[in-house]
């Protein structure tokens, strides 16, 4: 396996992992998670995780962006993969940083495609998928703090025209808090 | 040097570069560029590039986000490194995708710190730094298309409260257009 040592490559300003065997510089950059708050009739689309971390807890359709796609395309792909939902992106709802794990989350507000009727089905990474009114959201079974941040941003925006993108809440400006109750799994993506 | 072959790693859905010598999986993720439109008295802070690509052309203070920082911290760091400017972030002005090169740009609107007086100086990656009114921007010497997109978003927002974050313009929804006149350098970062 790769045999990394910490070195500052020529022309760089930061130490990086360089493989002593093959010379490869493993630049570690923040990763982008793209996802959506998909709404219809005042309800939001949520997915119960079929995978670790936080298996069994509820999240939004979201995941790591891939090369060659736009942020909007990535969010639409994740909604299809995780929730079988064809969505129409409205705009950016929030941009959140989870500095503790080197992650940036770009979360959109979206509606269902076609005539807007909710059509969805659990994908392989979801145990189940459902639409929830605000008061019916399973608040004690939310997978990650950033899911709550995105839901709060949705509640603030409602169905009005999108305003300024939300950022991290005041009690976690850098995304450094560890995970949510009732479990202490490691936060890794939405 | 690393000896990569294209393989789908166990449990993955996409082909990745795997080093045949050391087994390292070189996940290639989109990279995040963070930057700012820093304004004072109706003028915007711009930097003339001292490095390739697009040496000698004008850009905004922006660059690759590092691990361990938030998007806001990264944008502030870049403003200090490239333009000697202590800035105060107001909010997200635009989120742009350059799918052609696997890049996401999170561009903020910002003002100068302290009492807001413009204080700036060229950093090592800038030949010169200056404040420009809209009509004085060196439009024929802009480094990258996304610089223009961000400037357009600034013009639309003016000094009013920030509204919905801008996205790619209609004539380049995916960020696939090659570079700008008058040179055909490869776009690499702002």
């Amino acid at each position: 396996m790769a045999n990394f040592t910490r070195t500052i490559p020529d022309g760089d300003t930061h130490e990086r992992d360089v493989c002593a065997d093959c010379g490869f510089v493993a630049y570690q950059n923040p990763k982008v998670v793209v996802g959506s708050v998909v709404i219809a009739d005042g309800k939001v689309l949520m997915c119960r995780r079929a995978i670790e971390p936080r298996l069994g807890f509820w999240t939004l359709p979201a995941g790591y962006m891939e090369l060659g796609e736009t942020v909007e395309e990535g969010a639409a792909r994740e909604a299809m993969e995780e929730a079988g939902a064809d969505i129409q992106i409205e705009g950016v709802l929030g941009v959140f940083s989870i500095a503790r794990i080197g992650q940036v989350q770009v979360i959109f507000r979206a509606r269902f495609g076609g005539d807007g009727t909710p059509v969805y089905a659990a994908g392989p990474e979801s145990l189940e998928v459902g639409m929830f009114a605000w008061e019916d959201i399973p608040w004690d079974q939310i997978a990650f703090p950033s899911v709550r941040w995105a839901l709060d941003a949705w509640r603030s925006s409602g169905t009005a025209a999108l305003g300024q993108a939300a950022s991290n809440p005041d009690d976690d400006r850098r995304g450094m808090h560890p995970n949510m109750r009732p479990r202490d799994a490691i936060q890794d993506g939405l």
Side-chain angles (χ1 to χ4, degrees), chain A residues 149-172:
Chain A
W149 304 346
L151 291 170
D152 284 342
W154 164 52
R155 194 186 200 191
S156 297
S157 79
T159 55
L162 278 163
Q164 181 174 348
S167 60
N168 286 39
D170 285 339
D171 67 357
D172 197 5

Side-chain angles (χ1 to χ4, degrees), chain A residues 28-83:
Chain A
Q28 300 225 16
N29 298 100
K31 290 189 174 55
V32 182
V33 165
V34 283
S36 300
V37 170
V38 187
I39 52 180
D41 305 320
K43 295 180 178 179
V44 58
L45 178 68
M46 296 188 73
C47 309
R48 197 154 79 87
R49 291 174 64 84
I51 54 172
E52 293 289 357
R54 307 289 279 171
L55 190 154
F57 288 77
W58 290 87
T59 189
L60 298 167
Y64 288 114
M65 184 180 178
E66 294 280 353
L67 281 182
E69 64 188 9
T70 67
V71 283
E72 292 87 354
E73 289 167 350
R77 176 182 51 73
E78 290 288 343
M80 181 55 74
E81 288 179 3
E82 299 189 350

Side-chain angles (χ1 to χ4, degrees), chain A residues 7-18 25-29:
Chain A
T7 307
I8 300 179
D10 288 346
D12 203 337
T13 55
H14 287 66
E15 257 190 6
R16 313 289 179 183
D17 289 315
V18 181
V25 183
Y27 284 99
Q28 300 225 16
N29 298 100

Side-chain angles (χ1 to χ4, degrees), chain A residues 1-6 17-28:
Chain A
M1 291 300 295
N3 175 21
F4 287 122
T5 55
R6 297 290 289 177
D17 289 315
V18 181
C19 181
D21 294 342
C22 76
F24 179 73
V25 183
Y27 284 99
Q28 300 225 16

